[in-house]
Amino acid sequence: MTCALPRLLISLLLLASVAGASGEEIAIVVNLDNPVDSISQRQLINLYMGRHQEFPNGRQAIPLDHAPDSAIRRLFYKALTGKTVAQVNAYWARLLFSGRASPPQTVDSSQKILEIINHDPKAIGYIYSSQIVSSVKVIARVE
Amino acid sequence: MLIEKLSRTVVIQKQNSLITKGVAGNAIQVNLRADVVIFDVLSIGISGVNPAQKLVSVFQADKCRARCRQKEMTGRFRSIPPRFYEGTSVNRINPLLNMGRSSSGRIAALSVFIALLMALFALPSKAAPLDPSSYRFSGFGTLSLTRSGEHPFQFRSNNSRPGTAVNSWSPQADTLLGFQLNTSFSDRLIGMLQLVLRDRTKQTLNDSVEWAFVGYKPTPELVIRGGRMGLDLFMLSEYRNVGFAYLWSRPPVEFYGSVAFPHYDGADLTHSLPIGEGFLRSKLFIGTAKGGFSSRDGGIDLEVEPVFGGSLAFEQGPWQTRISLARARFGAFRSNVAPLQNALLAAASLGWGEAGSLAEAIDATDKPINYYALGLAYDSHPWIAQAELNLIDSGFEVFRPLTGGYISIGYRTADLTFYGIGAMAKNQGDRKRIDSAPPPFIPLQNEVQAFYDLPRTQQKSLSLGTRWDIRHNLALKAQWDHTWVEAFGGGLWLQEQTNTDDREIDTFSINLEFLF
C-alpha cells in the first residue's frame, strides 16, 4: 500500500485536472500473495484482449470482467483500448468462435471480484479506486 | 433435342422409382437404375435421331443417375430440387418454401431461432465459478434479408452455397444460427464443438458441425489441436459465419466466395511469440477438406486430400498483418464428371479428335490447387481499414488461376460505423473456347463449353454500408453492393445460364447480428 499511495495522489491530481471526466479512476487489483507489483497498459491490453494470458513474470493469469452492461466495464475498455464494449465483444467473438481464446469470466459485482481475488493468486480484476480494500494489491490504475 | 428435353423432365417421385413424363403425357414408371432410364428414354426415341443426339440423351440420363445415386448414398432425398429444372422460373419459388425444401426441420429451426433471439434479452449475465475444469456455452446468429440477382444470376455468398431467389427479399443467403460449447478438461487440455444451422446444398448433421476439436497446450505459447477446424486461409475464414465479429454484411464475395471448403478435418500446431511490442502467431495445418461448387443442376462435389499449409500473423497495437500459403490436391472428383467424360470418350472414338484430351482435362482428380494470401488491417478509433489479396492457382484447367482482392475503409462515430468496400475477382487468361467438334457433336461440345464457363469469374464491386451497435451483443447492418459482371464471368453467382453480355447487379442486405 505504501508504494500505491503516491500513485493514488498523482491520479487524484490527474482526475481533478480532467474536468468533466465521465467517471472515477479504476484500479487493477490482484491477490496480496501475487509477486507482481505493477503491470503496463500494453500488458493489460494483452491480458484483456486475449493475446497473452500471463502476468509479466510468466505466471498464468485469470482475468475477471464486469457485466457487459456495467458502467465500469465501458469506462475500463474505453480507457484501455479506445473501443466500446460492443467493439471489444466483436473482437472477442473472433477469438472465441475460432477456438483461439475465451473471453474473461464475467462477475456480477466488484464485491465478488474482490472475493475471488482474495482466494485466488492467479486472478486479476478491476474495481473503482473508491472500492479498494486492504486485502488486495493495486498493480495499476486506469482512468 | 426431343430426347434431351425428355430426360431433363425426369421427376424424382420417391426413393426407388422415377416417373418420366412421356411425349404424349403418359407416365412411365421405371427403375432407378440408369441403364433402364436410358433404355426407356431411347425406346420412345424417334427414328432418324443422329448419334450425337443419342449421346446427349445418354449423358443427361447418366447425369441424372449420378445425382440420384448421390442422394441415395447420402441417405437424403429432396422432393424436387428447384435447380433441377431448367424451365422453372426462380421468381416463382417462394423463399419460405425454399427454406423448408429439404425438410420441415428448417421451418422449425427458424422458430427456434426467433425464440432464442427473444430469450437472448431475458438471459441474465453469466457468473461462472472459477474452476479450471469448466465449460462455456455461447452462440451467434444472423437474421438477414437480401435482395439481389437478376436473370440469369442468383446471389450466393459462397460458391458452395445454394442460390437465392432473384429480385425478392430472401432470408436464405446469410441467415444462420451457431451454437458453441467450450470445455477445459484441465489447464492444458481443451475442447470445442460448434454447430451452425443455415440453408445448405446438403443438409446433414455432419455438414452442420463446423468445429469439433480437442487441443493440448504443452506450454502457454504452443497449442496442438486435432479434429475439425476452420480452414485458416484468409483473415476472416475462421469466423466468417460470425457476423457480429466483422463490419460488413458478409465477407466480400469476390474474396471469400471462391473458397468452397468451409472447414477441414485434421490437425494444426499454433505458436504465439511476443516480439517487441507485438505478437507473432505461426500456424501449420494438415488435413482433408470437403466442399462443393453449387450449380443449377446440383453442382460439383469437391474434396481435397491432403490440404496442408501455414500462416504467419503479426499483431501490434492497431495493426494486423498476415501471410498464408496452402497447397491441396483434388481427390474423389471423378464421379461428378463421369457422365460427361464417358460421353467425350465415346465421341473420341466416333471421330471427334479433341474429345479425348477434353475428357482428361475436365477431371480434377489428383490435380493441385494452391492458395496464397496477404492481409493487412488497421483498427484505431475512429478509423477501421482492411485489405486482402489472394491468388488461387489450380492445375485444374476448368478452375483457371483466380486473383481476388478488396479494400475496406470505415469511420466510427459512437455506435455507428460507416464503411465502403471495393472488391474484385478475376480469372487469369482468356475464356477457353471449344470449337473443334464435328457437326454431330455440337450439343456435346456445348455441354463441355458450359462446364468450362460455369466457374469463370470476372467481376468487381463497390459497396457502401452502415453498422449500428445497438447493444453490446446486438448489431444492425445495412449494405448496398453494386457489382459489374463481365460476359462469361459470373462464376461467383449461381447461374441459370452463362451470361454472354456484361451485367450490373445491385444487392441490398439488412442483417441483425447477435451473440449470446
Side-chain angles (χ1 to χ4, degrees), chain A residues 32-86:
Chain A
L32 281 176
D33 293 336
N34 193 321
V36 173
D37 287 321
S38 70
I39 190 167
S40 72
Q41 176 166 347
R42 184 169 56 82
Q43 286 164 334
L44 208 51
I45 292 173
N46 287 341
L47 250 179
Y48 273 90
M49 300 298 273
R51 290 174 186 168
H52 207 51
Q53 304 270 25
E54 281 174 47
F55 284 111
N57 63 3
R59 298 253 182 107
Q60 192 205 354
I62 300 176
L64 303 171
D65 217 336
H66 286 266
D69 287 324
S70 62
I72 188 168
R73 178 148 160 180
R74 185 167 47 81
L75 293 170
F76 177 71
Y77 283 102
K78 196 79 195 165
L80 202 64
T81 65
K83 287 179 171 26
T84 64
V85 172

Side-chain angles (χ1 to χ4, degrees), chain B residues 241-286:
Chain B
N241 288 326
V242 190
F244 194 89
Y246 48 81
L247 194 54
W248 324 293
S249 288
R250 67 190 66 81
V253 177
E254 280 82 357
F255 195 85
Y256 287 90
S258 48
V259 181
F261 307 102
H263 45 242
Y264 75 102
D265 298 331
D268 70 9
L269 179 75
T270 309
H271 185 256
S272 309
L273 182 72
I275 294 182
E277 306 247 304
F279 266 90
L280 179 70
R281 209 165 57 91
S282 334
K283 187 190 229 179
L284 288 171
F285 66 89
I286 186 158

Side-chain angles (χ1 to χ4, degrees), chain B residues 113 140-143 174-178 196-198 241-242 514:
Chain B
F113 195 166
F140 52 88
T142 299
L143 272 176
D174 297 302
T175 299
L176 60 81
L177 183 63
V196 174
L197 307 177
R198 72 181 307 170
N241 288 326
V242 190
F514 54 90

Side-chain angles (χ1 to χ4, degrees), chain A residues 54 89 91 96-97 103 116, chain B residues 126 130 136 180 220 315 472:
Chain A
E54 281 174 47
N89 281 354
Y91 179 89
L96 174 64
F97 297 116
I116 293 171
Chain B
K126 284 165 278 184
L130 208 57
R136 179 194 287 258
Q180 182 168 311
E315 199 172 342
H472 61 86

Side-chain angles (χ1 to χ4, degrees), chain B residues 59-77:
Chain B
F59 163 57
Q60 293 299 342
D62 219 14
K63 202 153 86 172
C64 162
R65 179 195 57 171
R67 284 178 53 76
C68 299
R69 262 205 195 141
Q70 198 184 321
K71 299 291 173 201
E72 214 171 26
M73 278 160 66
T74 56
R76 237 197 85 250
F77 232 71

